[in-house]
Amino acid sequence: MPVDHLETIRRYYQGCSTGDAALMQSTFTDDVAHYFPTQEPVRGAAALAAHWVAVRERTGAVWTVDHGITAADEAVIEWTMRFRHPRDGDSRIRGAEWYVFHGARIAEIRAYYHPGQRVTELRGFLYGAYDME
């Protein structure tokens, strides 16, 4: 049966959004690496799950997959993270991620977004037309 990489990413995001480290880890290879524009990479399934649990606890973040495509062992998505900014209150960041899979599990994530602003999205783009969730 073919692997649905977008479904794997949705399960990963469900784990992030609920703070469920075990669910997140079930979607990762043991040596997963997540690359960010704002910090050093996070490496390893337990470390990456702990990273997102801490973010969730600090900000109440909830992630959604807005759009995605897959090809062979790779996937690319657009995503939204809604969260409580410590100074500005309700905020959202939109970005994109490139995923590499080994079998059915996420081996690498490369995140692309513009940090440091309360809301980051493309001006004039009708996001709702493409929401997957």
Side-chain angles (χ1 to χ4, degrees):
M1 178 185 299
V3 177
D4 184 344
H5 293 317
L6 292 178
E7 183 55 35
T8 300
I9 295 168
R10 285 187 198 97
R11 282 196 338 269
Y12 159 52
Y13 273 23
Q14 180 184 2
C16 292
S17 296
T18 60
D20 186 336
L23 179 57
M24 283 183 265
Q25 288 184 58
S26 75
T27 67
F28 302 147
T29 60
D30 290 340
D31 62 346
V32 65
H34 194 313
Y35 300 92
F36 300 88
T38 57
Q39 67 184 59
E40 291 301 311
V42 176
R43 297 177 188 278
L48 185 54
H51 171 81
W52 291 124
V53 167
V55 169
R56 168 78 178 142
E57 288 175 355
R58 189 174 65 251
T59 68
V62 173
W63 290 262
T64 57
V65 175
D66 301 326
H67 190 68
I69 59 172
T70 64
D73 290 333
E74 297 180 308
V76 178
I77 66 162
E78 290 180 318
W79 53 264
T80 300
M81 180 181 106
R82 290 172 177 81
F83 64 104
R84 287 184 315 274
H85 191 279
R87 291 183 314 273
D88 301 327
D90 289 343
S91 301
R92 77 184 160 275
I93 296 174
R94 295 192 192 260
E97 289 177 335
W98 191 288
Y99 288 78
V100 176
F101 287 82
H102 290 169
R105 294 184 180 239
I106 300 166
E108 180 180 294
I109 306 168
R110 289 176 263 159
Y112 300 92
Y113 59 95
H114 181 70
Q117 295 185 0
R118 189 174 153 291
V119 175
T120 61
E121 14 185 65
L122 300 173
R123 293 181 183 181
F125 185 77
L126 300 175
Y127 282 99
Y130 291 95
D131 287 347
M132 293 177 65
E133 298 184 313

